[in-house]
Amino acid sequence: MAPFVSVVVPAYNAAATIAETLASASAQTYRHLEILVVDDGSRDATVEIVEAHRERDPRVVLLRKANGGVASARNLGIERARGAYVAPLDADDHWHPLKTERQVAALEAAGQDVAVAYSPYRRIDGQGRVIGRSPVYGCEGRVLFRHMGFNFVGNGSGMLVRRDPVVALGGYDASLRARGGEGCEDLLLQLKLAVDHRFVCVPDYLVGYRELPGNMSSDDARMSLAHLLVLDDLCDWIGPGIDPAIRLCADRLAMDFAERLLFRRGYRAHGRAVLLAALRRHPRAAGAAAAGAAWEKLRLRGVRGAAKLARLGRRPDVVDRAFLDFAIDEAPAHKDPDEGRISLRTLEALDHAAAARGDDPYRPARAGGPVEARETGAAARIA
């Protein structure tokens, strides 16, 4: 029998986009699913729009709760979910009709230790026009280092996940909202899943990820600080047996966040704040000598570095085509900028070395005795 899928849609004041989002969920070619909409205390017409859609599609279930943030809303949906698989879908995003079908097939073909199927996404604006795309990294298997460095899933609507591992982790971390990490709940859950489970990629553009002015994900400085918090939480969660290379990777990323913001016009003050946070939270790589070296590197790169990183913050031209106007394997005419942090090849080598260690690969001190970071072969290139 085909596995049952629970689509979980957290919604807060989403009246402008929820109808289109639900229409994309209802249009899935994979029909054996339910659509759980969790209203997180909306004050607009979100509830009325959802109820109207429910009259057209009885698979829609409306759950209501007091406002508590996106993580708590998703957790309520997961708690009530009847499916073996959970498919998160943000209330302003859009799916291609084949999204669930392709990802269910990928998980069904994989082993039980594969917990996540994900796909690349197209970025869309408020009118649904394509404004960019994610690269197709194709990261599969053990992926923790690559996901730390590149966040190749990239958003909360791009994955299909086995419900049991998510429940075992306690779902999304709702405490991030109060601690300044709201917006990175997806990333933290995905990283925790990557510690003990494998990922599989469905390399088609099946997700439309909406970017609007004022979105949390458009605030680079705040999201960089949130990302640092998530990296700290991940290291603490893995515990004392953590592979030393994971901490080295977190340290390097902390400095890179600061460097990118310092070069961007209008973001230098934010970059200094991120740098201070990096110095405070990651002293191994951000001690006095490392900080001095980083500042010298920034000074020497000068105008060339500023011009390069200014391009990273520039929005691409709008492609005058809607999300569904593209074939799932078609790319827009322009290319998005690369992430530009630690090389993907370096991180892939670390993941492959971890996979070769067998069970519990990112906690080598627990699995088979202490392992120095240098023994991975690639760890030295992180620092």
Side-chain angles (χ1 to χ4, degrees), residues 68-89:
V70 65
S72 67
R74 288 187 180 130
N75 287 342
L76 177 58
I78 293 168
E79 177 186 335
R80 301 288 183 87
R82 296 183 292 126
Y85 295 154
V86 171
L89 173 59

Side-chain angles (χ1 to χ4, degrees), residues 3-275:
F4 194 63
V5 174
S6 295
V7 180
V8 176
V9 185
Y12 175 68
N13 290 345
T17 58
I18 189 69
E20 180 181 344
T21 297
L22 292 180
S24 77
S26 292
Q28 293 297 293
T29 56
Y30 191 86
R31 307 299 296 171
H32 196 45
L33 55 79
E34 64 180 349
I35 303 169
L36 304 175
V37 181
V38 184
D39 178 67
D40 192 34
S42 295
R43 298 180 180 180
D44 62 2
T46 296
V47 168
E48 289 79 5
I49 294 171
V50 173
E51 289 178 336
H53 190 83
R54 183 170 57 178
E55 293 180 0
R56 299 188 294 273
D57 186 348
R59 297 174 300 172
V60 173
V61 177
L62 175 63
L63 306 173
R64 303 187 69 177
K65 61 182 287 295
N67 181 257
V70 65
S72 67
R74 288 187 180 130
N75 287 342
L76 177 58
I78 293 168
E79 177 186 335
R80 301 288 183 87
R82 296 183 292 126
Y85 295 154
V86 171
L89 173 59
D90 286 349
D92 55 356
D93 290 341
H94 192 96
W95 281 348
H96 189 279
L98 291 172
K99 190 264 187 189
T100 308
E101 178 182 334
R102 293 287 178 93
Q103 292 186 343
V104 167
L107 277 182
E108 288 291 284
Q112 285 296 314
D113 65 335
V114 177
V116 177
Y118 73 96
S119 298
Y121 59 90
R122 301 193 195 281
R123 294 163 41 228
I124 57 176
D125 65 10
Q127 288 72 49
R129 297 173 299 180
V130 172
I131 58 175
R133 63 178 176 90
S134 67
V136 183
Y137 293 114
C139 301
E140 294 189 312
R142 294 291 183 183
V143 297
L144 178 62
F145 284 108
R146 282 170 286 176
H147 202 16
M148 288 178 68
F150 287 85
N151 188 9
F152 50 78
V153 179
N155 63 89
S157 302
M159 68 177 183
L160 178 74
V161 62
R162 298 185 192 273
R163 181 177 181 272
D164 286 348
V166 175
V167 171
L169 289 172
Y172 294 85
D173 188 344
S175 75
L176 286 176
R177 186 188 196 196
R179 295 189 290 129
E182 189 173 25
C184 283
E185 294 91 349
D186 303 302
L187 176 62
L188 180 56
L189 177 63
Q190 292 161 11
L191 289 171
K192 286 182 176 179
L193 287 167
V195 172
D196 294 312
H197 302 278
R198 299 177 189 271
F199 283 41
V200 64
C201 176
V202 180
D204 298 313
Y205 285 95
L206 301 173
V207 181
Y209 173 56
R210 198 180 303 271
E211 290 189 358
L212 299 171
N215 273 9
M216 286 188 296
S217 57
S218 66
D219 184 346
D220 285 354
R222 196 193 61 76
M223 288 299 289
S224 293
L225 288 168
H227 201 144
L228 292 183
L229 178 62
V230 161
L231 293 176
D232 287 341
D233 281 3
L234 175 71
C235 292
D236 291 343
W237 179 78
I238 293 175
I242 188 173
D243 183 344
I246 295 176
R247 290 197 182 277
L248 287 174
C249 184
D251 294 343
R252 169 63 189 274
L253 288 168
M255 298 304 293
D256 283 351
F257 286 136
E259 180 180 330
R260 287 161 63 87
L261 288 170
L262 284 165
F263 272 134
R264 289 180 57 180
R265 181 176 300 174
Y267 278 83
R268 291 187 179 90
H270 299 297
R272 287 192 291 270
V274 173
L275 178 60

Side-chain angles (χ1 to χ4, degrees), residues 300-322:
L300 292 175
R301 286 175 65 182
V303 175
R304 183 176 64 179
K308 176 182 177 181
L309 288 175
R311 289 196 297 272
L312 292 177
R314 185 183 305 156
R315 294 184 62 84
D317 295 334
V318 172
V319 177
D320 195 19
R321 293 166 65 188

